[in-house]
């Protein structure tokens, strides 16, 4: 794979590289704008042919290529498999919401966090994605959309975004660049399993993204059963970081909570969760679990999910049960990749 990824560069860095190759720096502005429109070198009509031929010799314009797709008959949700030049593949999911097209992207090939319910972590983390590769995921979908464009982005595909901190922050700055996609951080949700030191760092970045925290438990004992990260960062430290986030950014936090039968979905656990979150500006997303056969984890009935929701509401905690999108195409991340790459099924998402 070429070392240089144009799409990972800020305009100033691109200008340096263009100059180093013997072309005037102003060409970088045109190059940045073409690349962020998803163009390949042969489609950049206002740049000199010799320069483009030179760039094409040892670099690539667009690192992410869509090699498989599935469309949900139920709601039009699309699932993509992206392949990178080194042969690694990750998934993305495009959902149509009232507030616009939302793309779920991956930040790593695999994941090392080891959550018991998640398919992405079954083979560990193979490698980080670069900012340019993440951007490439968005551009590849925009190229397919013809006229429409991705409006919101959620970092909820494979990988732990805060375990790839530098490249993820770079990606967030690149997509919000006015000469590029110009997607405001306000239209981005970043989901983390709770890497507390990085949550504190992110709060300082002046990037007003929506922070989602995958909580999945009301206390350490329950969380430790399903999320190894709870060992490194116990609940009191996690909640401290959440309060600091709200204070620093003025934005509410979203908690993801997948209801797992016999683990975290009982009435007393809803009560405990309410106590934990009392006074914090937040919203709880209750997620129907995608069953994980290998680990014998099962979701709960609709009725049980509603009882859990009611308990939270009675305690004045804002909460909803997340609508399932693309269930007929295994909308959950991790599954398409495993099928195409012929890995054992796993069945979870992440
Ligand atoms: N690593 C990040 C983002 C990726 S996972 C994080 O942990 O938040 C995106 C969301 O899907 C997380 O909330 C994750 O806990 C959840 N998830 C993973 N596997 C799941 C499954 N089998 N069923 C329901 N939600 C799942």
């Amino acid at each position: 794979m070429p070392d240089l990824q144009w799409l990972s560069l800020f305009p100033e860095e691109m200008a340096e590289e263009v100059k180093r190759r013997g072309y005037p720096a102003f060409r970088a502005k045109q190059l940045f704008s073409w690349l962020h429109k998803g163009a390949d070198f042969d489609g950049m009509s206002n740049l000199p042919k010799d320069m483009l031929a030179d760039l094409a010799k040892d670099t690539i314009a667009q690192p992410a290529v869509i090699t498989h797709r599935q469309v949900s008959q139920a709601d039009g949700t699309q699932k993509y498999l992206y392949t990178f030049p080194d042969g690694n593949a990750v998934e993305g999911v495009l959902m149509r919401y009232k507030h616009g097209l939302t793309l779920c992207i991956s930040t790593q090939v695999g994941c090392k966090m080891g959550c018991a319910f998640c398919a992405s972590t079954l083979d560990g983390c193979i490698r980080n994605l670069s900012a340019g590769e993440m951007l490439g995921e968005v551009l590849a979908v925009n190229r397919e959309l013809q006229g429409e464009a991705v409006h919101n982005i959620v970092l909820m595909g494979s990988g732990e975004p805060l375990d790839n901190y530098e490249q993820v922050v770079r990606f967030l700055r690149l997509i919000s660049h006015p000469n590029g996609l110009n997607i405001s951080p306000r239209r981005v949700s970043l989901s983390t399993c709770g890497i507390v030191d990085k949550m504190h760092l992110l709060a300082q970045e002046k990037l007003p993204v929506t922070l989602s925290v995958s909580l999945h438990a009301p206390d350490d004992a329950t969380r430790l059963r399903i999320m190894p990260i709870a060992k490194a960062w116990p609940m009191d430290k996690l909640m401290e970081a959440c309060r600091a986030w709200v204070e620093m950014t003025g934005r509410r936090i979203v908690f993801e909570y997948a209801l797992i039968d016999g683990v975290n979905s009982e009435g007393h656990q809803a009560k405990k969760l309410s106590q934990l979150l009392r006074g914090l500006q937040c919203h709880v997303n209750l997620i129907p679990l995608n069953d994980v056969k290998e680990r014998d984890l099962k979701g709960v009935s609709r009725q049980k999910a509603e009882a859990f929701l009611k308990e939270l509401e009675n305690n004045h905690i804002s909460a909803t049960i997340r609508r399932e999108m693309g269930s007929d195409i295994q909308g959950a991340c991790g599954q398409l990749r495993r099928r195409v790459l012929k890995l054992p099924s796993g069945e979870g998402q992440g």
Side-chain angles (χ1 to χ4, degrees), residues 111 115 117-119 155-157 159-161 191-193 212 214 216 256 258 287-292 322 347-350:
C111 182
C115 298
F117 43 80
C118 184
L155 276 57
M156 290 192 184
E160 166 50 49
S191 183
T192 178
C193 64
S212 285
S214 298
H216 303 316
E256 307 288 332
I287 312 172
L289 183 85
N290 292 293
D291 291 353
V292 191
R322 187 158 86 185
E347 300 283 305
Q349 89 166 34

Side-chain angles (χ1 to χ4, degrees), residues 213 215-220 223 234-240 242-243 255 257 268-282 284 312 315 317:
V213 174
L215 193 60
H216 303 316
D219 53 53
D220 278 318
R223 205 160 188 259
M235 198 66 106
D236 57 340
K237 294 276 186 287
L238 177 59
M239 295 318 291
E240 201 179 285
C242 291
R243 280 189 289 273
F255 290 105
Y257 198 106
H268 68 271
Q269 292 170 312
K271 259 199 199 90
K272 209 164 185 185
L273 181 63
S274 308
Q275 281 157 12
L276 183 75
L277 303 182
R278 185 162 298 151
L280 183 63
Q281 203 181 316
C282 69
V284 178
L312 294 182
N315 287 287
I317 302 291

Side-chain angles (χ1 to χ4, degrees), residues 257-308:
Y257 198 106
L259 292 164
I260 310 174
D261 197 35
V263 176
N264 63 2
S265 52
E266 298 305 318
H268 68 271
Q269 292 170 312
K271 259 199 199 90
K272 209 164 185 185
L273 181 63
S274 308
Q275 281 157 12
L276 183 75
L277 303 182
R278 185 162 298 151
L280 183 63
Q281 203 181 316
C282 69
H283 180 82
V284 178
N285 239 336
L286 297 172
I287 312 172
L289 183 85
N290 292 293
D291 291 353
V292 191
K293 287 195 194 111
E294 292 179 351
R295 317 245 182 158
D296 208 22
L297 296 176
K298 287 194 184 59
V300 299
S301 64
R302 183 80 202 178
Q303 207 179 6
K304 199 155 176 189
E306 271 162 17
F308 199 95

Side-chain angles (χ1 to χ4, degrees), residues 304-345:
K304 199 155 176 189
E306 271 162 17
F308 199 95
L309 174 68
K310 192 119 203 66
E311 185 65 45
L312 294 182
E313 284 172 344
N314 288 344
N315 287 287
H316 312 291
I317 302 291
S318 155
T320 39
I321 300 176
R322 187 158 86 185
R323 193 151 59 96
E324 252 185 299
M325 301 285 274
S327 49
D328 57 328
I329 54 162
Q330 303 167 309
C333 286
Q335 296 171 347
L336 176 62
R337 171 174 174 269
R338 297 193 77 77
R339 191 164 57 70
V340 172
L341 303 183
K342 304 214 168 18
L343 299 166
S345 81

Side-chain angles (χ1 to χ4, degrees), residues 32-313:
F32 185 90
S33 147
W34 277 119
L35 287 164
H36 286 235
K37 283 196 183 91
D40 281 314
F41 292 133
D42 55 11
M44 302 181 180
S45 53
N46 61 354
L47 284 169
K49 290 256 174 325
D50 62 329
M51 172 180 164
L52 294 173
D54 190 21
L55 301 189
K57 260 199 318 238
D58 65 338
T59 64
I60 45 165
Q62 301 293 328
V65 176
I66 294 174
T67 46
H68 285 83
R69 25 179 102 54
Q70 285 179 308
V71 184
S72 159
Q73 298 306 312
D75 54 27
T77 295
Q78 304 226 29
K79 188 152 182 188
Y80 303 102
L81 189 76
Y82 303 99
T83 303
F84 298 110
D86 69 352
N88 274 307
V90 298
E91 289 173 35
V93 182
L94 182 72
M95 294 154 287
R96 250 170 220 284
Y97 287 115
K98 273 201 298 289
H99 52 278
L101 288 169
T102 299
L103 182 66
C104 172
I105 69 158
S106 294
T107 55
Q108 296 177 316
V109 183
C111 182
K112 67 169 189 234
M113 294 300 138
C115 298
F117 43 80
C118 184
S120 296
T121 199
L122 290 173
D123 301 317
C125 178
I126 294 161
R127 71 170 175 86
N128 282 333
L129 294 186
S130 67
E133 287 172 321
M134 292 176 229
L135 179 56
E137 294 176 56
V138 184
L139 296 175
V141 170
N142 277 350
R143 281 201 298 271
E144 298 229 326
L145 285 172
Q146 299 181 341
E148 286 183 294
V150 170
H151 191 259
N152 310 291
I153 295 175
V154 297
L155 276 57
M156 290 192 184
S158 71
E160 166 50 49
L162 298 187
D163 185 42
N164 183 13
Y165 186 85
E166 208 182 297
Q167 291 300 310
V168 164
V169 166
R170 182 174 271 266
F171 164 73
L172 295 174
R173 297 202 193 287
L174 283 169
I175 51 161
S176 52
H177 197 284
N179 294 340
L181 289 177
N182 203 9
I183 295 178
S184 152
R186 289 178 193 281
R187 291 194 257 138
V188 179
S189 286
L190 184 152
S191 183
T192 178
C193 64
I195 304 186
V196 166
D197 55 342
K198 298 290 166 40
M199 288 169 68
H200 284 294
L201 266 188
L202 189 67
Q204 317 272 343
E205 298 276 358
K206 303 247 173 324
L207 282 167
V209 296
T210 297
L211 186 64
S212 285
V213 174
S214 298
L215 193 60
H216 303 316
D219 53 53
D220 278 318
T222 312
R223 205 160 188 259
L224 274 167
R225 283 180 64 186
I226 45 178
M227 298 182 74
I229 190 71
K231 210 167 173 179
W233 296 110
M235 198 66 106
D236 57 340
K237 294 276 186 287
L238 177 59
M239 295 318 291
E240 201 179 285
C242 291
R243 280 189 289 273
W245 174 270
V246 172
E247 218 161 275
M248 193 84 180
T249 64
R251 299 174 64 81
R252 74 173 188 178
I253 284 212
V254 176
F255 290 105
E256 307 288 332
Y257 198 106
L259 292 164
I260 310 174
D261 197 35
V263 176
N264 63 2
S265 52
E266 298 305 318
H268 68 271
Q269 292 170 312
K271 259 199 199 90
K272 209 164 185 185
L273 181 63
S274 308
Q275 281 157 12
L276 183 75
L277 303 182
R278 185 162 298 151
L280 183 63
Q281 203 181 316
C282 69
H283 180 82
V284 178
N285 239 336
L286 297 172
I287 312 172
L289 183 85
N290 292 293
D291 291 353
V292 191
K293 287 195 194 111
E294 292 179 351
R295 317 245 182 158
D296 208 22
L297 296 176
K298 287 194 184 59
V300 299
S301 64
R302 183 80 202 178
Q303 207 179 6
K304 199 155 176 189
E306 271 162 17
F308 199 95
L309 174 68
K310 192 119 203 66
E311 185 65 45
L312 294 182
E313 284 172 344

